[in-house]
Amino acid sequence: MRMNRLAVTAVAVVAGLSLSACGGDDGATDTAAPSSPSATSAGTPTQSPSPEEDDSAGSTAPEEGPTDEGSTGRESGGTGKPERCHTDDLTIKASDATIGDDPTKAVAVELRNTSDRSCSIRGFAGVNLLSSEGAIPAKRRDQKDDGTTLKPGEPTFFGIFYQGNDSGGSGVKIKGLVVTPPDETKSVTLKWPGEPSLPITENPETTVEIGPMGSIGQGG
């Protein structure tokens, strides 16, 4: 009889343990869903409270100002100095600048900054005279140029110097002028304002020279 009671008791204990294990699984399953929001809400203050997130979002607008100012910095290469003048920043034209009967003829080329920003320009432009004999490249004079900054609307000038055709013959006829600003690859073709021809020589390009930026005043 005692053994039967022990057996019944053992069965009851086993059944209780069995029910307890099942209840634990159900409990874990039931608590798993709420545990995720709970963990999220608990983690939220650790990462960043919502007011700070609002402040962080609000700080984006003030940062747009420096970004715009930064674009100016990018234009100036990030050095605080104006970026060089590009061909599209400039209006280029040429005019005769010969003084009296000077045997050395001159043409003044104006480069005017028509952009809305300041830009720097320095050195020599690329110059080719278009002639009946083909393109005649101009040779650089031995002059130095420290460079200049052109504010919006400001010009600078450089000179083209050549010998006139006094031979009485037709010479080398000039059809036009091609100018490429310093350090640029885009050119502008202009009407030639100087004498209509150059003397015929073995090397006509040696009779055409150019000065650096600022090497001549405003032409006529």
Side-chain angles (χ1 to χ4, degrees):
M1 197 62 182
R2 184 178 179 182
M3 292 182 64
N4 288 340
R5 289 179 180 175
L6 290 175
V8 171
T9 303
V11 170
V13 170
V14 172
L17 290 174
S18 217
L19 288 173
S20 176
C22 291
D25 289 344
D26 291 342
T29 303
D30 293 340
T31 57
S35 67
S36 177
S38 175
T40 303
S41 61
T44 300
T46 303
Q47 295 174 358
S48 177
S50 58
E52 290 183 8
E53 289 177 356
D54 293 339
D55 291 343
S56 175
S59 66
T60 303
E63 287 177 359
E64 292 178 357
T67 300
D68 293 338
E69 292 175 6
S71 65
T72 304
R74 286 194 296 273
E75 287 182 355
S76 63
T79 63
K81 296 179 180 179
E83 188 181 349
R84 76 170 187 270
C85 299
H86 299 291
T87 303
D88 291 337
D89 297 328
L90 303 166
T91 296
I92 304 173
K93 61 182 182 180
S95 58
D96 183 31
T98 301
I99 300 175
D101 296 328
D102 193 333
T104 299
K105 312 301 179 181
V107 165
V109 179
E110 175 187 306
L111 300 92
R112 185 179 295 272
N113 179 11
T114 52
S115 73
D116 58 359
R117 64 178 179 84
S118 294
C119 63
S120 65
I121 192 164
R122 178 181 181 179
F124 292 82
V127 170
N128 283 285
L129 274 61
L130 303 178
S131 78
S132 55
E133 304 299 323
I136 300 175
K139 188 170 82 172
R140 296 177 179 182
R141 283 188 163 182
D142 187 15
Q143 291 178 266
K144 293 182 178 180
D145 171 34
D146 294 331
T148 186
T149 296
L150 300 180
K151 295 179 181 179
E154 285 188 343
T156 188
F157 301 84
F158 73 88
I160 302 175
F161 309 96
Y162 65 100
Q163 298 298 315
N165 178 22
D166 298 327
S167 66
S170 60
V172 180
K173 294 182 179 179
I174 305 302
K175 299 179 177 181
L177 170 65
V178 179
V179 177
T180 309
D183 301 315
E184 288 291 292
T185 56
K186 185 176 181 180
S187 303
V188 174
T189 301
L190 306 172
K191 182 180 178 180
W192 174 248
E195 294 196 2
S197 65
L198 301 180
I200 296 177
T201 63
E202 291 183 2
N203 296 301
E205 64 270 17
T206 59
T207 67
V208 182
E209 297 181 328
I210 58 170
M213 297 295 119
S215 62
I216 197 171
Q218 185 173 356

